[in-house]
Amino acid sequence: MLIIIVVYGGMLTLSFLQIRKNYQLDDIEPYEELLQSENTKPVSILVPAYNESVGIYGSIRSLLSIEYPEYEIIIINDGSTDDTLEKLITRFKLVKINRVIRKQLDTKEIKGIYQSTLYPHLIVLDKENGGKADALNAGINCSRYPYFCSLDGDSIIERNAFLKVLKPIIESDDEIIASGGSVRIANGCTIQSGEVISIGLSNKPIVIMQVIEYLRAFLTGRVGLSQNNLLLIVSGAFGVFSKRWVIEAGGYAHTVGEDMELVVRLHRMVKEKRLNKKIVYVPDPVCWTEAPDSIKYLRRQRKRWHRGLFDSLWKHRKLMFNPKYGSIGFVSMPYFFFIEFLGPLIELIGYILLIVAVFTGSIHFEYALLFFLLSLIYGSIYSMSAVLLEEWSMERYPKVRHFVILFLVSLTETLWYRPLTVVWRVEGMIEMLFGKRGWGEMVRKGVSND
Amino acid sequence: MIEISLAALFIVFIALLFLLVSIFFYLFVKKYFNNQTRMEIFQLKEDYQLDMFHYLQTGNGEWLNSSLNQEQLIALMELLTEYSNVLDGPVVEDRIREFADKYLTSFIKKELKKGRWSLRMNALYAIEGLYMKQLIPSVHALYKKRRTTIAEKSQIVKLLARFHDPQVPQYLKDIHEDLSNFSLLSIVSNLEEKTLDELIENFNELSKKLQYVVIDTIGKKQLTHHHMLLHRLLSEDDEELRIRSLKAYANSGLPIDTNLLAAFFESDNWQVRMMAAKVTGVERIERFKLQLIYLLSDREYIVRSEAAKSILRFRDGEGILTMVVDQTKDLFAKDMAIEWLEKERNNHSY
């Protein structure tokens, strides 16, 4: 318990210092030059799509209006069984083209390549179903530019997010090989034609709770870890990678959490080849995504995440406490294994023991109650600090009312949300033991009005 | 024992509760007042907008009191910066500078001395955006301070280069190893031609990093009077220098010595072969058409692609690629030729 408090507290402090430094920095001027310069490196945006018919149009529309000097959008239709491809063909007036694909990574067969006659930099790859990792690898093969960004088909990106996420890469002369931005929850926001018109909060506590969770994870954990090049996740919803180094590392692997696995592999490669390369996280660029708004789908998501986490850790278990891998081996890997992966199990055992103890009377009631209140307050302080960081860095939630709701809901976390996620994650562990694989389905409602 | 622990725990609980409530109220009050201030600034900008536009058009600036509060200053600065981003021309620039000098000088001077990094950076952006040459001495002073970060120094040198300050070459030499290529390129391409010429005169004394940037700038700005330097660099031992000068030829369209170019098609380095193909296309050198066809079968994808693109620059380019499609047995060359012919027909350079 104490270790967890110290670790989280440490990360929070690092994040505070970093974010405070940038607080109130002008939102436009630092990026003007990147936007106008012909030396800004072009980027390929890869959007894997499997049965994304509902959300894909809005998502692509948001990509067509981003502020970036030169980019291409490659949508990879990964053998969808719905009308994703047909919708793209009619909406963007696609025509079939001949294009040479540089096969640097192995993928399932490409059935056809299409180009939009309205937007020449919009390309659609139609391929046989091979999973998200396979789709992304196909996208990498087809891409023209030195950097690529993987983006989920159901997310909406803010217009200047690419400038912000690529700034550190460009200014580091390629020393930074991957850079991730923040992901926020779109439920409750008004989105039209792929642009966030007004930011709001959903009225479902389960979604608000996830908003707080995202704020916390992104603002505290990742800024703290990024500072010391310990970052193990560049979010699957929004991250930019150097193509050369991803290919060198072997591209995406077929696993549940392919985004995290790739980042761990990049870290591993950096250490093994003794390269002077970094992976960073930039809190400000924001990508909005649809969060599950029912217990059923949230449970599936969390179980999947937990299996994904274990997959990555297991694949790279060699790194754990291996002096060759330095801080990744001694800090990041143990952190993700003991705190993120095993934590829920220990917590669940704690809950069970507590309940048993209350019934058998072997526990001092006041003592238990006080401990409970303490954990409640501690969790809340952590969430509130994340809200404070949000205020200092981005101020995305404009109204005082939003902030009061976030606070009140965060107070209830320990009572229901936390135990639920703990149980789901332990369920994920159990499923993993019995070898369950695959994604589990999530029904998309689509975040944008067409 | 439990009694004592309970008391201790209770104290911790109260302390944490106090901390939580304090954070909550701090955020609550701060958010409320921030929103109020932002609204006030927004309103002020609305109020000033027409008068400001009128001033920038006619030069009539007698619509403001001389004593302005913090919010008014911020509103004016934001408004002026927004106009400066969309309006161009020497007269407007002069008016923006005059206005900023008159009303914003002391405000921005104070901001330059702030403890927080982001505020100092904002001030530097404002000085550049509002052409406030009057503040150059303060900028030099900031550069010389010990706590000034490299990001600030980079921004300072950039804006000084834009204002043609004579200190820039020295600053460049001092800190260029810490700057990214992107920043260096932006600084060097903003130098006055005279200053750049001086830098190029001492080319051999520059570090490799600066040499590369200088060559890129010659190409980008098409500084044709430095063609002798580019010519000399084509025979340098350092391969990167040769690649950069080929790139400068491709960017500037300067006529290249074809005898020197001939050897590059055989290079082991694909970047050299690609650049050779590019220069041949840009300058439409008939003599090397065959080499371009040969490069369509290169083992590197990018070289094949560049060769096809270059062939299309010739008047008979489409004919050549069609011939390749009909006759070649190399599937790589054929695919590439088909792709580029299709692009040409659809009028897509991408």
Side-chain angles (χ1 to χ4, degrees):
Chain A
M1 177 83 177
L2 193 69
I3 297 172
I4 294 180
I5 292 177
V6 170
V7 169
Y8 277 117
M11 291 196 307
L12 190 67
T13 315
L14 282 173
S15 307
F16 260 97
L17 294 174
Q18 168 72 9
I19 285 181
R20 187 72 194 168
K21 185 182 158 200
N22 287 298
Y23 176 48
Q24 284 181 342
L25 184 66
D26 194 282
D27 203 34
I28 298 166
E29 293 300 324
Y31 309 102
E32 272 294 297
E33 202 186 354
L34 286 179
L35 185 60
Q36 282 158 15
S37 170
E38 56 187 76
N39 302 316
T40 303
K41 285 172 183 148
V43 63
S44 305
I45 303 167
L46 312 181
V47 188
Y50 176 70
N51 292 349
E52 303 266 5
S53 172
V54 185
I56 191 96
Y57 180 70
S59 189
I60 304 305
R61 276 294 300 263
S62 86
L63 289 176
L64 288 167
S65 60
I66 60 165
E67 290 173 353
Y68 202 76
E70 198 179 359
Y71 63 98
E72 61 178 359
I73 303 166
I74 301 174
I75 306 158
I76 308 106
N77 178 40
D78 190 35
S80 295
T81 51
D82 67 355
D83 62 342
T84 302
L85 182 66
E86 290 70 28
K87 202 168 188 177
L88 290 170
I89 289 177
T90 43
R91 288 289 177 97
F92 295 109
K93 300 210 183 329
L94 302 179
V95 291
K96 209 163 186 176
I97 56 162
N98 284 299
R99 196 176 206 192
V100 183
I101 292 201
R102 194 179 179 195
K103 206 164 183 186
Q104 292 175 295
L105 298 164
D106 266 341
T107 66
K108 286 267 167 63
E109 199 190 326
I110 309 284
K111 293 193 281 191
I113 307 171
Y114 300 82
Q115 183 172 26
S116 165
T117 48
L118 303 174
Y119 311 98
H121 59 300
L122 176 66
I123 302 287
V124 176
L125 281 187
D126 185 30
K127 67 180 276 291
E128 281 177 9
N129 181 267
K132 194 176 168 190
D134 195 70
L136 286 168
N137 285 340
I140 294 174
N141 282 339
C142 178
S143 67
R144 289 282 155 103
Y145 296 141
Y147 289 92
F148 74 85
C149 166
S150 58
L151 211 59
D152 282 352
D154 61 328
S155 38
I156 301 286
I157 197 137
E158 288 188 357
R159 290 180 55 179
N160 58 4
F162 276 97
L163 283 174
K164 289 179 173 174
V165 82
L166 271 131
K167 192 172 191 272
I169 292 185
I170 291 166
E171 291 188 341
S172 76
D173 287 341
D174 304 331
E175 189 185 305
I176 292 172
I177 55 173
S179 162
S182 293
V183 177
R184 291 299 170 76
I185 288 172
N187 312 37
C189 301
T190 319
I191 297 170
Q192 256 163 19
S193 298
E195 204 167 342
V196 180
I197 304 288
S198 78
I199 294 169
L201 273 178
S202 162
N203 47 18
K204 294 188 177 175
I206 195 162
V207 177
I208 299 175
M209 214 48 249
Q210 288 177 77
V211 171
I212 295 168
E213 226 185 355
Y214 271 62
L215 282 183
R216 230 170 26 201
F218 279 95
L219 283 172
T220 58
R222 295 189 184 175
V223 179
L225 290 178
S226 166
Q227 277 249 306
N228 300 293
N229 202 20
L230 298 169
L231 193 72
L232 280 190
I233 304 176
V234 163
S235 162
F238 183 37
V240 173
F241 295 87
S242 155
K243 187 163 86 179
R244 181 187 156 197
W245 292 106
V246 169
I247 289 173
E248 178 110 14
Y252 283 95
H254 300 265
T255 155
V256 189
E258 68 292 310
D259 47 349
M260 175 173 181
E261 199 278 333
L262 175 66
V263 174
V264 181
R265 203 140 30 86
L266 286 174
H267 270 300
R268 193 171 169 171
M269 181 184 74
V270 167
K271 294 281 178 191
E272 280 170 358
K273 298 191 172 170
R274 292 174 198 276
L275 306 167
N276 185 23
K277 301 287 175 197
K278 276 189 190 150
I279 292 170
V280 299
Y281 165 66
V282 200
D284 197 13
V286 167
C287 164
W288 297 85
T289 191
E290 184 188 359
D293 61 358
S294 74
I295 296 273
K296 182 177 160 196
Y297 291 114
L298 183 62
R299 175 171 166 230
R300 271 192 200 169
Q301 184 197 49
R302 292 310 151 98
K303 287 198 291 191
R304 193 179 68 225
W305 282 3
H306 216 60
R307 278 190 284 140
L309 173 67
F310 181 76
D311 264 6
S312 302
L313 292 173
W314 182 250
K315 257 195 174 149
H316 299 282
R317 58 190 179 279
K318 203 182 127 193
L319 273 65
M320 184 81 89
F321 298 121
N322 188 335
K324 200 171 125 189
Y325 297 98
S327 50
I328 294 284
F330 279 97
V331 183
S332 304
M333 289 293 283
Y335 164 77
F336 278 99
F337 183 73
F338 291 108
I339 295 184
E340 294 288 336
F341 179 72
L342 279 186
L345 185 66
I346 296 163
E347 215 174 314
L348 185 68
I349 294 171
Y351 288 141
I352 294 169
L353 284 181
L354 187 75
I355 294 167
V356 171
V358 168
F359 279 108
T360 55
S362 61
I363 193 167
H364 207 284
F365 184 70
E366 292 95 329
Y367 198 73
L369 184 72
L370 210 49
F371 250 116
F372 175 73
L373 287 175
L374 265 178
S375 71
L376 194 135
I377 296 250
Y378 180 75
S380 238
I381 287 182
Y382 201 66
S383 301
M384 274 299 98
S385 309
V387 176
L388 175 67
L389 285 180
E390 150 77 19
E391 278 297 301
W392 275 3
S393 53
M394 297 177 256
E395 300 186 284
R396 286 290 193 284
Y397 294 95
K399 295 182 182 155
V400 175
R401 189 173 58 88
H402 289 154
F403 157 71
V404 175
I405 293 173
L406 285 175
F407 174 73
L408 293 177
V409 175
S410 84
L411 276 179
T412 67
E413 182 182 10
T414 318
L415 298 174
W416 62 285
Y417 188 76
R418 178 99 196 160
L420 275 179
T421 54
V422 163
V423 171
W424 294 333
R425 287 194 284 174
V426 173
E427 274 187 277
M429 288 163 109
I430 295 167
E431 280 180 4
M432 197 184 65
L433 284 177
F434 292 104
K436 184 170 173 180
R437 288 279 173 272
W439 274 92
E441 166 203 1
M442 171 168 165
V443 177
R444 302 273 187 212
K445 290 186 181 144
V447 285
S448 173
N449 307 322
D450 279 358
Chain B
M1 157 117 181
I2 284 174
E3 304 304 312
I4 298 165
S5 299
L6 256 181
L9 273 179
F10 192 71
I11 291 170
V12 175
F13 170 71
I14 295 293
L16 285 178
L17 188 67
F18 178 73
L19 182 67
L20 178 66
V21 172
S22 314
I23 296 177
F24 176 74
F25 276 107
Y26 168 72
L27 282 173
F28 185 87
V29 171
K30 195 167 172 292
K31 180 127 202 139
Y32 178 78
F33 284 107
N34 269 357
N35 283 353
Q36 296 290 320
T37 314
R38 267 325 306 175
M39 263 162 61
E40 193 185 333
I41 291 174
F42 181 78
Q43 191 53 49
L44 282 167
K45 277 166 81 176
E46 296 266 292
D47 295 348
Y48 292 152
Q49 200 168 20
L50 262 181
D51 287 331
M52 180 72 90
F53 187 71
H54 187 63
Y55 162 72
L56 293 174
Q57 292 297 315
T58 63
N60 180 11
E62 299 307 314
W63 48 280
L64 273 176
N65 298 326
S66 50
S67 61
L68 297 166
N69 64 28
Q70 177 95 353
E71 285 74 28
Q72 285 169 316
L73 287 169
I74 293 174
L76 285 172
M77 191 168 85
E78 286 185 6
L79 199 57
L80 206 54
T81 312
E82 283 164 24
Y83 276 125
S84 137
N85 284 338
V86 290
L87 298 177
D88 225 354
V91 179
V92 173
E93 264 179 36
D94 277 346
R95 285 179 186 150
I96 288 175
R97 193 189 52 245
E98 273 169 32
F99 188 94
D101 283 350
K102 185 171 172 191
Y103 294 104
L104 301 173
T105 302
S106 58
F107 174 69
I108 290 177
K109 250 187 184 168
K110 257 187 242 160
E111 294 291 295
L112 276 181
K113 289 181 182 150
K114 284 275 166 70
R116 203 190 313 141
W117 176 85
S118 53
L119 298 178
R120 298 197 301 272
M121 282 302 275
N122 286 348
L124 288 172
Y125 291 127
I127 293 172
E128 186 184 355
L130 307 178
Y131 321 101
M132 299 174 76
K133 290 183 187 166
Q134 192 178 307
L135 285 172
I136 286 180
S138 307
V139 171
H140 279 293
L142 178 62
Y143 180 92
K144 288 179 183 124
K145 274 191 185 157
R146 218 156 45 95
R147 67 164 184 190
T148 304
T149 62
I150 196 69
E152 285 164 89
K153 285 187 177 174
S154 167
Q155 184 55 32
I156 288 173
V157 182
K158 219 174 276 177
L159 81 88
L160 289 177
R162 195 155 284 177
F163 292 163
H164 305 314
D165 188 271
Q167 285 276 65
V168 174
Q170 189 51 48
Y171 285 172
L172 254 185
K173 281 175 195 159
D174 293 345
I175 60 164
H176 73 272
E177 286 299 343
D178 295 322
L179 298 183
S180 66
N181 273 317
F182 183 84
S183 304
L184 278 177
L185 210 50
S186 140
I187 294 167
V188 174
S189 44
N190 269 316
L191 288 177
E192 238 179 338
E193 200 160 314
K194 191 172 70 88
T195 320
L196 191 58
D197 287 347
E198 282 166 17
L199 208 64
I200 295 172
E201 258 169 48
N202 303 313
F203 187 82
N204 289 339
E205 275 118 66
L206 300 177
S207 71
K208 276 270 146 45
K209 195 171 178 181
L210 264 180
Q211 285 186 344
Y212 297 154
V213 172
V214 164
I215 304 171
D216 286 350
T217 313
I218 293 177
K220 291 235 158 89
K221 295 186 88 174
Q222 308 189 325
L223 303 173
T224 45
H225 57 288
H226 290 296
H227 69 278
M228 281 314 288
L229 174 70
L230 293 184
H231 179 78
R232 174 167 72 79
L233 293 174
L234 287 178
S235 315
E236 276 285 332
D237 287 339
D238 181 351
E239 191 147 66
E240 186 62 30
L241 278 178
R242 292 204 299 268
I243 295 172
R244 299 255 178 169
S245 36
L246 280 171
K247 193 170 152 197
Y249 273 109
N251 281 335
S252 63
L254 268 170
I256 195 168
D257 180 341
T258 48
N259 291 329
L260 284 177
L261 183 61
F264 293 131
F265 290 98
E266 308 297 325
S267 169
D268 288 336
N269 185 326
W270 65 266
Q271 285 165 298
V272 175
R273 298 197 300 277
M274 180 190 76
M275 275 303 162
K278 194 167 187 169
V279 174
T280 307
V282 169
E283 303 189 6
R284 298 193 182 86
I285 306 171
E286 295 281 338
R287 187 182 150 188
F288 295 131
K289 263 189 198 166
L290 258 180
Q291 270 84 341
L292 287 182
I293 297 173
Y294 177 72
L295 286 184
L296 277 177
S297 299
D298 196 277
R299 60 184 176 280
E300 275 296 329
Y301 168 89
I302 297 172
V303 179
R304 297 200 296 274
S305 179
E306 195 58 57
K309 191 177 172 186
S310 286
I311 289 173
L312 277 178
R313 286 178 176 261
F314 288 90
R315 199 169 290 167
D316 55 347
E318 261 188 73
I320 296 175
L321 286 186
T322 314
M323 187 193 74
V324 170
V325 173
D326 292 339
Q327 295 180 4
T328 185
K329 289 192 176 101
D330 177 4
L331 287 179
F332 288 109
K334 190 173 178 171
D335 283 350
M336 195 54 88
I338 291 174
E339 179 181 331
W340 279 92
L341 276 173
E342 197 176 274
K343 277 184 184 168
E344 178 75 7
R345 281 169 202 148
N346 294 333
N347 240 341
H348 291 154
S349 60
Y350 160 75

